[in-house]
Amino acid sequence: MKKIWKILVVVWIGVVLLTLPGLAQLAPELPRSEALIVGILTGRVGSPSNFNEWVGWKWRDRGMQNLANEPLWSIDFATGEIINGLAAGDAIYSEDFGHVTIPLREGVTWSDGVPFTADDVVYTVETIMATAGFNAHSTLVDNVGAVYKDGDYKVVFDLKRSNSRFHTNFLDRWGCIWIMPKHIFETATDPLTFEFNPFVGCGPYKLHSYDPNGYWTIWEKSENWDKSPTGILYGEPKPKYVIFQAFGTEGAKIVAQLTHRLDAVDLSAEGLIAALARGDTIRAYQPGFPWVVNNDPCITGLSFNTAVTPFDNVDVRWALTLAIDIAEYVGQAVDGTATLSPVHIPSLGSYPKDFIKPMEPWLEAFTLDLGNGETFQPYDTDAPQRVVEYARDRGYAVSDDPAVQDQAFGLGWYKYAPEAAAKLLEKNSFSKNSDGQWLLPDGTVWKIEVLGMTDTSHHEFKNGNAAVQQWKQFGIDAVYVASDAQVTLRQNGQYQVGCNWPAQEPWGAGVDLYRTLDFYNSAYVTPVGTLTYGHHSRWSSPEMDAVIKSLRETDPTDTAATVALGIEGLKLAVAAMPGIPTYGYCGFLTWDEYYWTNWPGSENPYTQPYSHWGPFKYMMPFLEPTGNK
């Protein structure tokens, strides 16, 4: 408890010294009983006037993907449900997976009242294919031979080759190919530079206003909410306004929530404890330890830019992995409330049973060549127990049940082995100077810049700073570099180590890992300095390409074959280690129930709990106003 109260003192000092000057950055006042206020997970918007999500990164969680847009399909990771949005049902494939037909939902309009039809889908696909520079350009060119409509509410794709997962390019997990409103984009002189302002979507909300400095965006319930998939499926959204607000510090977030000026926000482990300790109307996803959202399919960690030296060397990547004491790492990052995963998917849901447990014999046998005839087996089944000991030392109540511990802390990770890490580096002509600093093969001091977010409560920030601390202890001159432009820099390969997820997160429903593995497709790799359409690590291999090809030719309903290919792909990723998986995304989410109740907590998970995910709009009809003014 002493640590909690120290945190609270820091928070309140932060209010006096830091947050009051920033109040001018808050959104304008709206009737509070009609307005829902949530934090922007990805922070202050760097291009406030630009809503063209199809080009580069546009802070889609400012309300575009989560309120105003409707994809063909969405996945709700809490329920495992695939929700038909603009699509009226499942994609229909030919027997050879060379053709696919998508039925569309009738009766939907864009927020400006113009009907949504197959013309919008065909226009979107043809425009993206004809214009290099769109995010999905390579994906569609690589797959689509022709696209055409069959009536106003059916779209047909002739594929260049068999691909049983083609339709998943339109399946929203965190981003997908959104459909453009043809009647608006066809008026643009250049669709790549078109700002698409105001944003027009098929969702239940329309753009109200935004801060030109990027701190807030306000959305208002559309007059056509009943013609959105959200309205058709779930009814009328309760909040009239939804405000997405960025804050300069975590202290500002906590104070805003304690004073009922923020309804939902993601915090750090320490911030969550502080908010719960002082806020009588504040709750977390779970009512007790570890409090966190524990069903999120993201795997957090670090990514290496394998297109630049020395991170193009697998020995270097593994050395940096073995230089991490994972118990210290997760203690610093998330106060021990983490579920470790040694592979590039999280250890949650069915994934431990379907993938991690079957892979353990291979993980235990996996061997690194340290040079001079010496080998090393890095897998450590005892790593989660060290995190258990940390949590108990912190005074948290941890179950003695091994099954409960496996679920909460994971099945294994990698050994803290600085001596083995040193041998891997020395094998590749790295050396140490008299001060104990690692030198590159050319004799210069090895400096690593870890690029990440400015938001101190985000897992990118937490992973990045934990890694910097570990690598400094190992003798590397490492530094965390925070930038509002970090996504663009990573997409263009202008970084060394990134704090973005080490692998694309899976869908979170079923056992199909195609979404994760396809991001390593060599077809998406581009030279440094240009936008990549695959994973930011720019790693690929012929073996992974073969796995991806096999998945495309496999019926997704063939569970055994799908799992086997997923395991094969995970083995390739572990061996190459283009990014280090650390722990599954644990959401330190807090809700203030002063103005709004019926949040989807662990006792009532009717939808995913976050305000930044696409299905957030499906939460809006279920929130209940308290009547407080």
Side-chain angles (χ1 to χ4, degrees), residues 268-303:
S268 66
E270 297 82 3
L272 178 141
I273 295 172
L276 293 177
R278 289 297 297 268
D280 293 338
T281 57
I282 294 176
R283 63 155 294 173
Y285 181 73
Q286 297 183 67
F289 180 82
W291 302 291
V292 297
V293 179
N294 59 351
N295 55 2
D296 189 315
C298 290
I299 180 70
T300 77
L302 305 158
S303 292

Side-chain angles (χ1 to χ4, degrees), residues 504 514-521 524 533-535 539 548:
Q504 185 74 0
Y514 176 73
R515 185 175 194 270
T516 296
L517 302 179
D518 186 55
F519 262 66
Y520 294 128
N521 195 325
Y524 308 149
Y533 304 102
H535 193 267
W539 174 80
I548 295 166

Side-chain angles (χ1 to χ4, degrees), residues 68-127:
N69 181 61
E70 295 271 9
L72 292 182
W73 302 276
S74 295
I75 279 186
D76 188 320
F77 63 77
T79 64
E81 181 184 2
I82 295 177
I83 301 168
N84 295 325
L86 296 177
D90 295 340
I92 304 166
Y93 282 89
S94 61
E95 188 173 350
D96 65 353
F97 301 113
H99 305 269
V100 60
T101 300
I102 299 176
L104 302 178
R105 185 183 294 278
E106 299 184 34
V108 175
T109 71
W110 297 94
S111 56
D112 59 5
V114 175
F116 162 79
T117 70
D119 289 328
D120 296 300
V121 180
V122 172
Y123 174 82
T124 298
V125 173
E126 290 182 339
T127 300

Side-chain angles (χ1 to χ4, degrees), residues 156-375:
V156 182
F157 291 88
D158 295 337
L159 304 181
K160 291 182 176 178
R161 62 190 65 84
S162 298
N163 186 351
S164 61
R165 271 78 169 175
F166 171 74
H167 73 285
T168 61
N169 288 294
F170 302 93
L171 174 60
D172 189 16
R173 172 60 183 76
W174 173 286
C176 64
I177 299 176
W178 294 358
I179 307 305
M180 298 171 175
K182 178 177 181 288
H183 66 286
I184 292 178
F185 264 83
E186 66 185 358
T187 66
T189 303
D190 181 354
L192 291 176
T193 60
F194 181 48
E195 291 200 333
F196 191 38
N197 186 355
F199 185 95
V200 174
C202 289
Y205 286 83
K206 64 180 182 179
L207 184 65
H208 176 279
S209 56
Y210 62 89
D211 174 27
N213 294 311
Y215 282 98
W216 50 264
T217 306
I218 301 176
W219 302 85
E220 182 178 5
K221 191 190 310 182
S222 169
E223 297 86 351
N224 299 301
W225 66 263
D226 58 334
K227 297 179 181 62
S228 69
T230 298
I232 293 169
L233 291 169
Y234 303 109
E236 182 175 3
K238 300 294 173 48
K240 181 177 180 180
Y241 304 99
V242 181
I243 302 170
F244 287 84
Q245 176 73 58
F247 295 87
T249 67
E250 183 171 43
K253 294 179 185 179
I254 296 172
V255 171
Q257 194 159 56
L258 291 174
T259 54
H260 311 306
R261 292 180 296 163
L262 179 59
D263 297 302
V265 70
D266 287 79
L267 301 171
S268 66
E270 297 82 3
L272 178 141
I273 295 172
L276 293 177
R278 289 297 297 268
D280 293 338
T281 57
I282 294 176
R283 63 155 294 173
Y285 181 73
Q286 297 183 67
F289 180 82
W291 302 291
V292 297
V293 179
N294 59 351
N295 55 2
D296 189 315
C298 290
I299 180 70
T300 77
L302 305 158
S303 292
F304 298 113
N305 186 350
T306 66
V308 301
T309 57
F311 308 104
D312 56 345
N313 186 328
V314 66
D315 285 343
V316 172
R317 302 195 294 267
W318 262 106
L320 291 171
T321 304
L322 298 178
I324 291 175
D325 181 334
I326 196 62
E328 286 188 2
Y329 184 106
V330 300
Q332 176 181 342
V334 291
D335 199 22
T337 58
T339 307
L340 305 181
S341 178
V343 301
H344 293 72
I345 57 173
S347 184
L348 59 80
S350 69
Y351 295 154
K353 173 180 67 71
D354 291 323
F355 296 103
I356 302 175
K357 195 69 176 177
M359 286 182 65
E360 283 208 301
W362 179 87
L363 287 166
E364 290 172 355
F366 177 71
T367 302
L368 298 170
D369 178 7
L370 303 184
N372 299 317
E374 187 176 357
T375 60

